[in-house]
Amino acid sequence: MKVPEGKTITLTFVSHPTKSLKMRWWGRLTFPGGAGADALLPVAVTDGEERPVKAGTLDLFGAHIKIRDGQGALASADFIKGKHDTAIWLHRRGMLPIPGGLTFA
């Protein structure tokens, strides 16, 4: 898989609804233009109050992506390997894990 030059693709994930905005989350996985199988894809995660998630682990495409200050990364090869894995969870210390899914935003 190779992203066309000059084209950026972003997949957006959102948590299942919760009462507390702090428990909710948004995740964005970006495929930069020209990215190929050896690329490292940036992942950004914010909470429901639109603040970067300080620390956590995003389970996405079978990978456990470490999030620090709202940022993480996924190897393109891991995306391809786990593209059929449907489990999406954000784990944060002191909070219940919250599941999510792909959305169109």
Side-chain angles (χ1 to χ4, degrees), residues 23-37:
M23 298 278 298
R24 296 179 190 185
W25 57 269
W26 285 81
R28 291 169 184 82
L29 171 64
T30 302
F31 296 80

Side-chain angles (χ1 to χ4, degrees), residues 24-79:
R24 296 179 190 185
W25 57 269
W26 285 81
R28 291 169 184 82
L29 171 64
T30 302
F31 296 80
D38 60 342
L40 199 55
L41 309 172
V43 177
V45 182
T46 57
D47 66 18
E49 295 177 336
E50 299 182 20
R51 294 185 178 130
V53 168
K54 293 283 182 201
T57 301
L58 180 64
D59 293 344
L60 185 64
F61 300 114
H64 305 291
I65 304 164
K66 295 291 182 199
I67 304 298
R68 296 282 181 253
D69 297 320
Q71 302 296 310
L74 174 67
S76 183
D78 289 339
F79 166 77

Side-chain angles (χ1 to χ4, degrees), residues 13-20 23-25 88-89 98-102:
F13 304 89
V14 65
S15 67
H16 292 190
T18 63
K19 288 184 180 182
S20 168
M23 298 278 298
R24 296 179 190 185
W25 57 269
I88 302 170
W89 291 83
I98 304 294
L102 179 64

